[in-house]
Structures are given as structure tokens and as C-alpha cells.
Amino acid sequence: VWDRAERALDRRVIGAARVVICNSEMARDDLQRDDGLSAARLVVIRNGVDLERFRPDPALREAARRAVPA
């Protein structure tokens, strides 16, 4: 029940907006397909994180994964 109410509210808010900002092309495509929104109303703005700069060291990542119980 909660999921349906939340989705109905989302559709109402999105339907009233002049422009909808999406964080990816996939989100934009979903809104076009599922909600019938015009491409002119959908703007993609990515989060802008430099993935090379903020990529963890593979050895540290593996050590952190081993430290967490399965």
C-alpha cells in the first residue's frame, strides 16, 4: 500500500513540474517511458564525481571486504 501511495505522490509532483532533473539517462528514459513525460521537460545532470580521483585502492578495498563478516 505504501509503495502505491508514494508512487502516486511522485507522479503528481513530477506532473506539476515544468522541468524534471534526472541524474542519468536511464532515469530520464524511465520517466519518458513510464510516465509519458516529454523529453523537453527532462534534463540530465550527472553527479560530477571524478571516479578516477575517488576510486579506492584495490588492496585497501579487498582488505575492508575481508574485515566485514559475511
Side-chain angles (χ1 to χ4, degrees), residues 21-30 43-47:
I21 297 174
C22 307
N23 65 350
S24 69
E25 285 82 6
M26 185 178 75
R28 179 199 60 207
D29 295 346
D30 288 349
V43 177
V44 176
I45 300 177
R46 290 176 199 79
N47 64 12

Side-chain angles (χ1 to χ4, degrees), residues 29-59:
D29 295 346
D30 288 349
L31 287 170
Q32 277 186 285
R33 183 188 62 245
D34 298 342
D35 297 324
L37 294 178
S38 162
R41 292 179 55 203
L42 302 171
V43 177
V44 176
I45 300 177
R46 290 176 199 79
N47 64 12
V49 173
D50 182 347
L51 296 178
E52 290 304 315
R53 180 176 178 198
F54 295 103
R55 185 174 309 273
D57 178 282

